[in-house]
């Protein structure tokens, strides 16, 4: 089972706590009040019965008992029974003497006054029994009114208990939300930092419990920001320091290459080796700097890009690809992307196909449910399954012999695609060759 | 006539290597080791193109760029060792027509220089174009707005001619990059964005709320006719 959040736990605990306290109070109140009221009612019933018994006692001797009993009944629901040996006199609401508990009648017969709460004909009653001469006097007093009062009080207490529990839960919810608000601020700030905004800070906290946490958090982020800045400054300096000598080397190489015919034999061979390696080195440094820049800063400049147009434009810059068919599902196929990075993705995939598989044989832009696909097919030797993930890692080249690549081309593809929330993979192409597939989320 | 280039670069070795390689490409290359020297030479002599390194000691490359721009429309290509958007954009904002990043190849640079110099010609359209109160005479290379002349660099001018020549149709960003800058498209739309911004500052009544050069989201730009 999923653990409840702190907020809900606090709300539930407070709700239960309030429920417990108020129900204990309600039960106590109920017991005291109902007991007291019942005793009052019983007391008055006994007093009434005592007066009546005295009157009955007199009339037992003088006769006219029936009229007296009729006059004595206090309401339509009350009943009086006088049990004499062999004769039963009743008045008021008719009651079967058999419905009365024997124990009560026995008490009366033995000459002891007693009272008991009983249910007669579905009505709650107090039965008071008293000895009269050689008979037993029983009077039943209805408790209906008292019962209604009890129902009213118990309803009130139950409603009050439930209401206070709900109120407690609500208060718990409110209070915990309030108490957790600094935490959600912390969470929001941490999320901003995670997404690359190192300027995010927590607002100063007045509460001494939170002050230290906020200060520690802010100082840690400030240190992190300084460090990131230092790192990026270092990368920028390295970039500058590497690019300058490379510029000299590449251009000096170009000058020498033009004069290759002047250097016959081994010297010429060595020069070719030197200049081609310098070019490769320059490409590697540029790719490496681009990847390390990717690691650090995010200068995303996203715009709506028509993938079909982008493919046609990149291909247009390569005369050797003029014959390659380009299939575009529908136009425009729009993605939200950094145009430069997408260009780089396609350029590197084309370079890869040219370098390892004799060039691409088909390019396609297709559209799926919520993504678009860019496919680059070649008719080369294909990529064995065990290398299909590894080729997207940095400096993971299949064969080194005669390779002029930087070893970072596909790694850059992978990073750029990931940055756009997409994925790239390679699969077999029918009948021969490899198919590189870039999948990007649709715009909007 | 041979194209005269002034190469402003503080690194002695780069200056030599680039000078040799550009010489092989058929250019007449002169060099200057600092911003001050460059400005002094530009006062005395005429050049067709300036190659300007942005990381100069003394007078900063950006300052040299701004000074040159205030004097006229001499084509400027900035050379930067940093590829951050910030460096590139500030160079273009300072008035450069194009930029290249180190390590640059003389052959690539040569293609860009030639494309830049071609920009002065009338392009595809030769007749006088009118956009609202703006009159463009591609033959003479003049732009008037409300009767008074507007000074545009040749890149800004070519951009305006390409947009106005489409007569209100959308011109895609790729088309603009290819027609104005002319070299291999490499999707660097920063070049275009900054130049559109510069153009708007010169011809729009309110550059923040463009009414002449309109952006069409996702596809390109068009002139409001």
């Amino acid at each position: 089972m999923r653990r409840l959040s702190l907020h809900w736990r606090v709300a539930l605990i407070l709700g239960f706590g309030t429920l417990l306290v108020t129900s204990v109070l309600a039960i106590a109140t109920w017991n005291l009040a109902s007991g007291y009221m019942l005793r009052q009612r019983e007391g008055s019933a006994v007093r009434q019965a005592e007066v009546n018994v005295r009157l009955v006692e007199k009339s037992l001797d003088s006769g006219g008992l029936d009229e007296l009993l009729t006059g004595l009944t206090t309401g339509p629901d009350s009943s009086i029974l006088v049990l004499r040996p062999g004769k039963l006199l009743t008045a008021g609401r008719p009651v079967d003497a058999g419905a009365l508990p024997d124990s009560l009648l026995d008490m009366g017969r033995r000459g002891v006054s007693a009272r008991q709460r009983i249910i007669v004909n579905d009505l709650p009653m107090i039965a008071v029994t008293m000895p009269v001469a050689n008979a037993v006097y029983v009077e039943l007093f209805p408790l209906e009114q008292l019962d209604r009062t009890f129902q009213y009080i118990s309803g009130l207490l139950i409603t009050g208990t439930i209401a206070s529990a709900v109120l407690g839960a609500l208060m718990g919810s409110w209070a915990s939300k309030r108490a957790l608000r600094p935490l959600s601020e912390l969470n929001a700030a941490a999320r901003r930092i995670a997404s690359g905004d190192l300027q995010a800070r927590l607002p100063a906290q007045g509460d001494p419990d939170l002050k230290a946490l906020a200060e520690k958090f802010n100082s840690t982020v400030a240190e992190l920001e300084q460090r990131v800045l230092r790192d990026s400054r270092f990368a920028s300096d390295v970039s500058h320091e590497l690019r300058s000598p490379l510029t000299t080397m590449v251009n000096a190489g170009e000058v020498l290459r033009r004069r290759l015919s002047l250097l016959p034999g081994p010297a010429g061979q060595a020069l070719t080796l030197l200049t081609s390696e310098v070019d490769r080195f320059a490409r590697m440094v540029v790719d490496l700097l681009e990847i390390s820049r990717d690691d650090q800063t995010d200068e995303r400049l996203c715009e709506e890009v028509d993938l079909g147009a982008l493919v046609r434009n990149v291909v247009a810059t390569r005369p050797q690809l003029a014959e390659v068919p380009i299939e575009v599902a529908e136009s425009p196929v729009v993605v939200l992307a950094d145009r430069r990075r997408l260009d780089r993705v396609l350029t590197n995939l084309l370079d890869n196909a040219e370098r390892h598989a004799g060039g691409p044989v088909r390019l396609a832009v297709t559209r799926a449910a919520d993504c678009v696909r860019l496919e680059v097919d070649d008719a080369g030797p294909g990529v064995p399954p065990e290398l299909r993930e590894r080729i997207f890692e940095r400096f993971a080249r299949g064969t080194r012999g005669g390779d002029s690549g930087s070893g970072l081309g596909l790694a850059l593809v992978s990073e750029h695609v990931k940055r756009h929330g997409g994925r790239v993979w390679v699969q077999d192409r029918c009948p021969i060759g490899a198919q590189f597939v870039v999948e990007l989320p649709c715009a909007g | 006539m041979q194209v005269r280039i002034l190469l402003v670069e503080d690194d002695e070795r780069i200056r030599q290597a680039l000078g040799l390689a550009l010489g092989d490409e058929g250019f007449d290359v002169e060099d200057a080791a600092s911003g001050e020297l460059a400005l002094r030479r530009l006062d005395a002599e005429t050049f067709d193109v300036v190659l300007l390194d942005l990381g100069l000691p003394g007078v900063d490359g950006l300052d040299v760029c701004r000074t040159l721009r205030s004097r006229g429309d001499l084509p400027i290509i900035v050379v930067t060792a940093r590829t951050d958007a910030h460096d590139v954009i500030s160079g273009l904002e300072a008035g450069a027509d194009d930029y290249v990043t180190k390590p640059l190849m003389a052959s690539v640079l040569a293609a860009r220089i030639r494309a830049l110099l071609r920009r002065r010609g009338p392009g595809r359209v030769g007749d006088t174009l009118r956009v609202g109160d703006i009159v463009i005479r591609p033959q003479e290379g003049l732009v008037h707005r409300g009767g008074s002349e507007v000074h545009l660099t040749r890149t800004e001018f070519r951009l305006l001619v390409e947009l106005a020549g489409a007569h209100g149709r959308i011109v895609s960003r790729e088309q603009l990059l290819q027609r104005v800058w002319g070299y291999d498209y490499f999707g660097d739309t920063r070049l275009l964005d900054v130049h559109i911004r510069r153009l708007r500052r010169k011809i729009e009544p309110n550059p923040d709320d463009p009414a002449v050069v309109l952006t069409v989201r996702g596809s390109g730009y068009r002139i409001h006719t």
Side-chain angles (χ1 to χ4, degrees):
Chain A
M1 203 188 82
R2 217 166 60 91
R3 214 174 138 83
L4 282 174
S5 74
L6 185 60
H7 166 221
W8 283 110
R9 270 183 286 153
V10 169
L12 279 180
I13 287 168
L14 247 101
F16 272 126
T18 328
L19 185 69
L20 205 70
V21 170
T22 46
S23 51
V24 165
L25 280 174
I27 289 166
T29 309
W30 166 256
N31 280 338
L32 286 174
S34 64
Y36 176 74
M37 285 163 77
L38 206 59
R39 274 197 302 282
Q40 288 282 312
R41 185 74 183 87
E42 279 175 0
S44 74
V46 168
R47 275 195 298 281
Q48 171 102 50
E50 275 170 354
V51 173
N52 290 351
V53 162
R54 238 167 273 142
L55 291 173
V56 169
E57 223 164 15
K58 276 180 198 152
S59 72
L60 271 178
D61 305 333
S62 57
L65 189 59
D66 275 344
E67 291 79 20
L68 175 72
L69 288 181
T70 311
L72 287 180
T73 52
T74 44
D77 288 331
S78 67
S79 318
I80 296 176
L81 298 92
V82 179
L83 293 103
R84 304 166 77 176
K87 196 180 173 196
L88 171 68
L89 273 178
T90 63
R93 195 184 158 90
V95 172
D96 182 10
L100 300 175
D102 290 337
S103 58
L104 189 74
L105 295 178
D106 281 347
M107 301 269 258
R109 284 194 194 100
R110 267 186 272 134
V112 183
S113 296
R115 55 178 185 272
Q116 186 180 354
R117 252 180 297 158
I118 55 171
I119 305 282
V120 178
N121 298 339
D122 292 336
L123 287 175
M125 299 277 188
I126 291 180
V128 179
T129 177
M130 286 180 183
V132 192
N134 54 348
V136 177
Y137 175 92
V138 180
E139 186 165 2
L140 299 176
F141 297 89
L143 283 178
E144 210 182 347
Q145 200 156 358
L146 191 67
D147 219 40
R148 269 202 296 277
T149 312
F150 280 173
Q151 270 173 17
Y152 177 72
I153 292 176
S154 65
L156 206 66
L157 286 174
I158 290 171
T159 315
T161 306
I162 293 172
S164 67
V166 170
L167 199 71
L170 284 177
M171 268 173 61
S173 164
W174 176 79
S176 65
K177 227 181 241 170
R178 234 190 112 82
L180 290 175
R181 195 176 297 156
L183 216 61
S184 57
E185 277 172 5
L186 186 80
N187 189 17
R191 197 172 317 148
R192 276 175 63 197
I193 290 162
S195 68
D197 177 12
L198 290 175
Q199 314 258 296
R201 295 286 186 280
L202 280 181
Q205 302 288 334
D207 192 314
D209 289 338
L210 297 167
K211 203 171 172 209
L213 175 67
E215 280 170 1
K216 187 72 202 156
F217 181 88
N218 284 345
S219 68
T220 308
V221 176
E223 269 170 40
L224 185 67
E225 190 187 8
Q226 283 306 312
R227 186 168 174 172
V228 166
L229 277 180
R230 239 189 346 261
D231 281 356
S232 85
R233 224 175 0 247
F234 174 71
S236 174
D237 289 346
V238 168
S239 159
H240 182 262
E241 293 308 317
L242 284 175
R243 282 169 196 271
S244 293
L246 271 176
T247 306
T248 308
M249 282 154 77
V250 166
N251 286 293
E254 224 175 328
V255 170
L256 280 174
R257 211 184 330 233
R258 276 172 185 271
R259 291 157 182 79
L260 196 57
S261 56
L262 303 179
L263 280 175
Q269 254 178 11
L271 178 63
T272 311
L273 279 176
L274 187 66
T275 51
S276 67
E277 280 302 278
V278 164
D279 289 348
R280 187 160 81 96
F281 185 48
R283 269 198 299 279
M284 201 187 296
V285 168
V286 170
D287 282 355
L288 199 59
L289 289 175
E290 178 153 359
I291 278 199
S292 63
R293 192 162 51 120
D294 247 17
D295 289 345
Q296 287 158 0
T297 58
D298 187 8
E299 36 170 276
R300 261 181 97 154
L301 310 152
C302 276
E303 53 181 318
E304 288 173 358
V305 177
D306 177 0
L307 205 54
L310 182 132
V311 172
R312 284 195 208 94
N313 279 309
V314 172
V315 170
T317 64
R318 297 173 174 235
Q320 71 273 25
L321 298 185
E323 301 294 314
V324 176
I326 304 174
E327 294 165 20
V328 178
E330 58 185 279
S331 73
V333 181
V334 178
V335 289
L336 203 61
D338 179 346
R339 198 179 284 262
R340 193 186 63 82
R341 290 191 203 275
L342 273 197
D343 252 20
R344 196 67 206 261
V345 165
L346 182 57
T347 307
N348 286 7
L349 287 178
L350 294 177
D351 283 347
N352 183 67
E354 283 175 3
R355 203 164 282 140
H356 300 289
V361 294
R362 172 184 164 268
L363 297 173
V365 176
T366 61
R367 177 159 214 156
D370 52 351
C371 61
V372 294
R373 274 184 175 195
L374 168 67
E375 296 166 7
V376 178
D377 295 13
D378 63 53
V383 182
E386 67 271 17
L387 288 180
R388 283 182 193 170
E389 296 219 344
R390 238 180 74 75
I391 55 169
F392 291 104
E393 289 166 14
R394 298 174 188 190
F395 297 118
R397 269 170 297 173
T399 48
R400 288 203 165 243
D403 196 346
S404 58
S406 68
L408 291 164
L410 290 180
L412 262 177
V413 168
S414 165
E415 305 240 340
H416 284 344
V417 170
K418 246 185 245 158
R419 189 159 291 245
H420 284 96
R423 57 202 192 100
V424 58
W425 70 93
V426 62
Q427 57 195 32
D428 276 330
R429 178 180 168 272
C430 218
I432 53 156
Q435 181 177 52
F436 284 81
V437 184
V438 172
E439 204 172 78
L440 296 169
C442 273
Chain B
M1 205 197 91
Q2 218 180 11
V3 176
R4 258 170 77 82
I5 298 176
L6 180 65
L7 171 61
V8 190
E9 164 67 62
D10 60 316
D11 188 318
E12 164 75 29
R13 285 175 293 261
I14 293 181
R15 222 163 48 230
Q16 283 186 18
L18 257 186
L20 288 171
L22 284 173
D24 276 358
E25 295 283 345
F27 297 109
D28 174 11
V29 186
E30 298 287 325
D31 54 36
S34 72
E36 292 87 341
L37 285 172
L39 288 174
R40 212 172 302 152
R41 288 200 71 163
L42 283 159
D43 276 339
E45 304 162 59
T46 54
F47 290 92
D48 298 306
V49 180
V50 177
L51 289 181
L52 186 61
D53 188 272
L54 282 185
L56 292 173
V59 180
D60 178 44
L62 288 176
D63 290 335
V64 177
C65 198
R66 276 187 215 103
T67 311
L68 289 180
R69 202 37 86 227
S70 67
R71 290 185 193 170
D73 73 337
L74 179 65
I76 303 170
I77 297 178
V78 292
V79 179
T80 160
R82 301 174 200 274
T83 48
D84 332 357
H86 175 73
D87 261 42
V88 171
I89 287 172
S90 50
L92 292 170
E93 289 280 6
D97 292 280
D98 203 346
Y99 78 91
V100 286
T101 47
K102 289 178 185 172
L104 57 128
M105 309 261 269
S107 52
V108 174
L109 193 54
R112 295 200 173 193
I113 292 169
R114 292 197 186 97
L116 176 51
L117 293 175
R118 271 200 301 275
R119 239 164 265 170
R120 194 190 288 286
R124 297 177 307 123
V125 274
D127 295 335
T128 301
L129 297 161
R130 278 171 212 279
V131 181
D133 63 343
I134 300 168
V135 182
I136 310 159
R137 293 197 183 80
Q139 295 295 347
E140 293 119 274
L142 292 177
V143 176
H144 287 86
R145 187 171 143 219
S148 52
E149 196 185 337
V150 184
H151 294 281
L152 298 182
T153 68
R154 62 182 70 197
T155 306
E156 293 156 0
F157 180 78
R158 191 54 182 273
L159 196 57
L160 181 60
V161 169
E162 289 295 340
L163 284 168
H167 301 288
R169 285 189 303 274
I170 299 171
V171 191
S172 77
R173 303 160 71 93
E174 291 79 16
Q175 282 170 334
L176 284 174
L177 275 168
Q178 260 158 11
R179 289 183 196 157
V180 177
W181 281 269
Y183 52 83
D184 290 356
Y185 161 77
F186 206 88
D188 197 344
T189 44
R190 292 179 287 195
L191 202 55
L192 183 61
D193 293 340
V194 176
H195 273 90
I196 290 279
R197 218 155 46 219
R198 274 164 53 181
L199 183 62
R200 278 178 177 156
R201 274 205 289 273
K202 291 185 181 175
I203 62 167
E204 295 276 0
N206 177 9
D208 293 328
D209 181 22
V212 182
V213 179
L214 305 178
T215 307
V216 185
R217 266 192 71 211
S219 39
Y221 297 96
R222 68 185 184 87
I223 282 277
H224 182 71
T225 46

